[in-house]
Amino acid sequence: MSLHAVILAGGYGSRMMPLTTRTPKHLLPIGDEPVIAHQLRRLAAAGVDSVTLATAHHAEAFLPALGHGERFGLHLRYTREPEPRGTGGALKHACAGLTLHPDDALVVINGDLVSDHDLAAHVRAHVHAGAPLATIHARPVDDASAFGLLHLDGDRITRFEEKPAGAPAGFVNAGTYVVSPSLLDLIPAGEVVSLERDVFPRAVALDEGVRVYREDARFADIGTPAALLAANLAWARDHVPSDRPNATSVLLGAQVAPTARVERCLAMPGAQIGADAVLTDSVLGPGCVIGDGAHLEGCVLGDGARVSPGLRLADAVLEVDERR
């Protein structure tokens, strides 16, 4: 069995504006690397040796940022959709150039997803179950109203219910799939097709077609500035040096005035924080300049953003407007 992966990274990132004006949301940083770099390292650790990145919006930005995968220990190839085709259509298009054997497995991940679940165990569960059409990572939640609720009979999915009303608890689709190549036969070529709304429900109608791998692990859909902020602050908490017990922030080469107060923040290389500035729960991209006496709380600043001296901002998202 060969193990290949497809990362679906064609979305426009509309909810991330203005941060996605110049950058695809999948290349926005979590800590010192883009979202997709974290995914590539997880895939390599799980035994994947080749990955196809399915792109569309800002497709030209990926190769300079990621190369061909050498630094991640795998081979990375790129495809670009001629027009948006949904998650199923993107998967079909991405696999068109691959030679897949019936007993191979494909790991499919949404490109804005961060998950700590055991991907190698997920693959093993798929194989142990007899390689059904798909094995979906399922995680328990107390409120499924913002997710795709999975109706289960043991480990077999019997029905999908998208964003159910009434806030029921249950297992939901966590966005990582291990699929058999035969699943591709259910996806018509050149059409707009959703894995979640079209393909998987069709597969459920087939005997033992779709199963779950259950694991409650840290998970984040990096689809909004608030989610990006939370993921970066979580990364910063995990990376505060152990020899700095009173530290709350990670400053990756940022210049901070002695009288500035910076708490629970992540500042990228080249960021400058002026005298008497107060920053809490914020993320600063490379080259940001925070003026003297500015106050920021819960803010996300894109590369090179500038905050005027004395300005007070809360829950703001700033990006440089290159048209000026």
Side-chain angles (χ1 to χ4, degrees):
M1 182 193 79
S2 296
L3 186 60
H4 185 79
V6 175
I7 300 177
L8 303 175
Y12 285 97
S14 301
R15 293 181 298 160
M16 277 287 196
M17 292 292 285
L19 297 174
T20 49
T21 302
R22 297 175 295 158
T23 304
K25 64 178 179 178
H26 321 87
L27 290 181
L28 293 172
I30 295 180
D32 56 358
E33 289 191 309
V35 174
I36 277 187
H38 293 273
Q39 294 182 329
L40 292 172
R41 295 194 186 283
R42 288 188 64 246
L43 289 167
V48 174
D49 56 16
S50 64
V51 178
T52 296
L53 189 58
T55 72
H57 186 57
H58 287 317
E60 68 287 345
F62 289 95
L63 179 58
L66 302 171
H68 292 287
E70 297 88 349
R71 76 175 187 268
F72 306 105
L74 45 74
H75 174 69
L76 182 59
R77 65 186 283 267
Y78 298 85
T79 61
R80 181 173 186 170
E81 294 175 88
E83 67 282 322
R85 293 180 178 174
T87 51
L91 176 62
K92 182 84 167 187
H93 184 262
C95 292
L98 298 177
T99 301
L100 298 172
H101 300 284
D103 62 345
D104 288 344
L106 280 167
V107 177
V108 183
I109 302 178
N110 291 316
D112 55 1
L113 176 70
V114 175
S115 174
D116 287 344
H117 90 286
D118 189 338
L119 185 55
H122 185 173
V123 173
R124 289 194 299 271
H126 176 78
V127 174
H128 181 71
L133 288 173
T135 303
I136 294 175
H137 173 211
R139 56 188 292 268
V141 298
D142 294 329
D143 179 355
S145 60
F147 301 95
L149 180 65
L150 304 176
H151 293 261
L152 304 175
D153 179 7
D155 286 336
R156 185 172 62 88
I157 297 177
T158 59
R159 186 165 66 92
F160 292 83
E161 185 178 5
E162 189 66 22
K163 298 181 180 179
F171 281 88
V172 299
N173 179 357
T176 301
Y177 318 124
V178 182
V179 308
S180 298
S182 52
L183 181 79
L184 300 173
D185 296 336
L186 301 182
I187 306 174
E191 295 186 15
V192 179
V193 183
S194 166
L195 283 174
E196 297 79 8
R197 292 180 174 85
D198 302 317
V199 181
F200 290 151
R202 290 176 198 163
V204 162
L206 303 175
D207 188 34
E208 301 295 319
V210 185
R211 301 182 71 87
V212 294
Y213 165 73
R214 305 174 194 237
E215 185 180 347
D216 187 9
R218 187 163 65 173
F219 164 94
D221 175 356
I222 313 299
T224 65
L228 181 68
L229 175 62
N232 272 281
L233 295 180
W235 184 94
R237 287 193 299 271
D238 290 344
H239 288 79
V240 170
S242 59
D243 59 350
R244 295 169 54 203
N246 297 320
T248 63
S249 300
V250 174
L251 309 174
L252 301 173
Q255 301 176 25
V256 183
T259 56
R261 190 169 81 244
V262 182
E263 298 179 355
R264 300 182 303 280
C265 291
L266 174 63
M268 305 296 181
Q272 301 177 40
I273 302 173
D276 301 318
V278 178
L279 280 68
T280 57
D281 298 317
S282 296
V283 175
L284 280 60
C288 288
V289 177
I290 310 301
D292 295 349
H295 284 228
L296 275 68
E297 180 179 358
C299 295
V300 179
L301 276 60
D303 299 7
R306 305 178 72 90
V307 175
S308 301
L311 188 64
R312 292 176 175 266
L313 296 173
D315 303 321
V317 181
L318 301 181
E319 178 62 286
V320 172
D321 186 348
E322 290 192 328
R323 297 172 297 179
R324 295 181 180 178

